[in-house]
Amino acid sequence: MAVLVTGGTGYIGSHTVVELLNNNYDVVIVDNYVNSKPEVLNRIFKITGKKPRFYEVDCTDYAKLKKVFQKEKITDIIHFAGLKSVAESVAKPQLYIDNNIGSSKVLLRLMDEFNVTNIVFSSSATVYGVPDHVPLKESDKIGGCTNPYGQTKLDIEYLLKDYAKEHKEANIAILRYFNPIGAHESGLIGEDPNGIPNNLMPYITQVAVGKRPHLNVYGDDYKTVDGTGVRDYIHVVDLAHGHLCALKKLEEKPGLVIYNLGTGKGTSVLELVHAFEKANNMKLPYVICPRRPGDVDENYAEVSKAYKEMGFKTKLNIEDACRDSWRWQSKNPNGYDK
């Protein structure tokens, strides 16, 4: 009776595994370490005192993943595994199609073969494309994705919707994340991007730790409170808790459900920078740069549905995330590489 977590040593996956273990779930991780490191497993053990079973498997490899299903009694799946760099997806769209959509097809095939009916899918607010209003509701139109990465998330959502129509016994939760930031309060696990960070918070922390000379702020002429882009930043520990709420929801056999996971509040780039400075008593050098194509003025979630239907509500705020991010980065200046 185990929960299979694909991509379970990644940033969001590892925090979710910690929450699962702390709530006495039996956890099996599969990961190929493309976006993570083996050291994560040691850190999970240090935090929880428990060792999840682990298989180094690429989720696009049907034969190897099938062996995991044969060996373990899997009842639920949380599917994180996937490539996630927007810039890389623009340069290598076919890689993203093969990996992200391919792994999801393999999982659905194995769900069929082994009668697994419950899956939680890690989707993204990118499926809303360029929003014409905020906050974004789950019922708002989707599509018009601005990059191949976002398009793969949208295509997997369609795959799951088709699967649900054909498999009436299936229970599927699609979770549309907004902008995860922060780290576990222990400072033992956190975001460890390959190369130049794509996301704002690890870029901020790398500037703070001296790895980068300054932060680039892309655009200061948006129609927002201070001219910089506004996003919905959710603490990764809150986000991880959202997956436990989703698993509990699937016990009700709801069929297919879709939820935004965010705070319901927008924060601008400069507001986040100043919150980081205040929380950690430091100054961050930044440079205003031209806008990036495809960036929108503001983007944040309408979150009442997730609260009403599965009791999900965030508990941690921007200051908590800034403190936890800095604790992680300062204790691990080179991420998981010692």
Side-chain angles (χ1 to χ4, degrees):
M1 307 290 280
V3 180
L4 176 70
V5 183
T6 73
T9 56
Y11 172 45
I12 303 169
S14 59
H15 286 83
T16 302
V17 166
V18 165
E19 292 297 307
L20 289 167
L21 292 172
N22 283 340
N23 283 273
N24 299 315
Y25 282 88
D26 185 27
V27 178
V28 175
I29 298 174
V30 295
D31 207 312
N32 62 0
Y33 292 134
V34 163
N35 280 320
S36 61
K37 306 273 170 45
E39 173 61 20
V40 175
L41 294 168
N42 297 328
R43 305 293 183 89
I44 289 171
F45 178 67
K46 277 184 186 173
I47 294 168
T48 65
K50 298 173 184 175
K51 279 188 177 171
R53 295 185 297 292
F54 176 82
Y55 298 87
E56 188 174 348
V57 171
D58 187 313
C59 288
T60 60
D61 190 326
Y62 166 77
K64 283 187 180 170
L65 194 55
K66 182 174 181 175
K67 287 179 182 170
V68 177
F69 276 78
Q70 286 169 333
K71 193 168 181 186
E72 303 286 351
K73 178 61 183 159
I74 293 159
T75 53
D76 303 82
I77 298 167
I78 303 180
H79 182 30
F80 293 108
L83 298 173
K84 59 179 186 175
S85 164
V86 168
E88 185 184 50
S89 79
V90 172
K92 302 175 180 176
Q94 194 59 49
L95 175 67
Y96 275 64
I97 292 165
D98 292 346
N99 186 87
N100 294 3
I101 298 172
S103 64
S104 302
K105 285 181 173 176
V106 166
L107 267 181
L108 291 175
R109 182 178 168 190
L110 288 165
M111 281 175 68
D112 253 4
E113 287 182 39
F114 289 86
N115 298 314
V116 179
T117 55
N118 293 352
I119 184 168
V120 178
F121 173 58
S122 159
S123 192
S124 164
T126 56
V127 301
Y128 292 112
V130 179
D132 50 23
H133 67 273
V134 287
L136 286 160
K137 293 183 177 179
E138 291 88 346
S139 56
D140 285 338
K141 69 176 174 61
I142 54 175
C145 298
T146 56
N147 55 73
Y149 159 74
Q151 187 62 44
T152 63
K153 291 291 187 186
L154 182 67
D155 289 345
I156 295 163
E157 285 201 13
Y158 286 134
L159 262 182
L160 291 168
K161 287 170 185 173
D162 287 342
Y163 186 87
K165 280 178 196 161
E166 193 180 327
H167 299 77
K168 302 300 182 194
E169 75 286 358
N171 299 295
I172 299 169
I174 292 172
L175 304 181
R176 293 175 180 161
Y177 309 162
F178 279 69
N179 296 68
I181 58 171
H184 192 268
E185 64 181 2
S186 64
L188 287 168
I189 57 173
E191 190 166 9
D192 182 21
N194 294 327
I196 299 170
N198 291 300
N199 298 327
L200 179 58
M201 184 58 90
Y203 210 114
I204 287 173
T205 60
Q206 288 190 12
V207 170
V209 84
K211 286 186 83 171
R212 306 199 179 275
H214 59 258
L215 174 69
N216 292 326
V217 176
Y218 295 101
D220 63 349
D221 58 350
Y222 289 102
K223 295 187 184 102
T224 61
V225 61
D226 56 21
T228 62
V230 166
R231 299 292 179 269
D232 189 336
Y233 295 101
I234 177 171
H235 198 298
V236 67
V237 173
D238 278 332
L239 186 63
H241 176 66
H243 293 78
L244 272 69
C245 294
L247 283 180
K248 287 193 163 59
K249 181 68 184 175
L250 295 189
E251 290 173 12
E252 299 171 17
K253 303 197 183 314
L256 184 131
V257 287
I258 299 172
Y259 299 110
N260 287 336
L261 292 187
T263 65
K265 180 180 179 295
T267 302
S268 78
V269 172
L270 286 182
E271 283 175 334
L272 188 63
V273 169
H274 297 323
F276 186 91
E277 291 176 328
K278 185 180 174 188
N280 299 302
N281 195 25
M282 63 172 72
K283 289 298 285 181
L284 286 174
Y286 63 86
V287 174
I288 304 294
C289 304
R291 289 185 183 206
R292 293 179 300 193
D295 276 352
V296 298
D297 294 74
E298 51 183 351
N299 190 341
Y300 57 94
E302 159 53 59
V303 294
S304 60
K305 185 184 177 195
Y307 179 64
K308 208 177 292 176
E309 295 190 13
M310 61 174 186
F312 172 73
K313 195 175 187 183
T314 57
K315 294 174 184 169
L316 300 163
N317 61 28
I318 291 292
E319 288 72 27
D320 296 322
C322 288
R323 274 193 298 271
D324 292 339
S325 293
W326 177 235
R327 187 182 299 111
W328 152 253
Q329 187 75 77
S330 57
K331 284 176 110 176
N332 304 272
N334 298 308
Y336 290 107
D337 294 325
K338 296 223 170 50

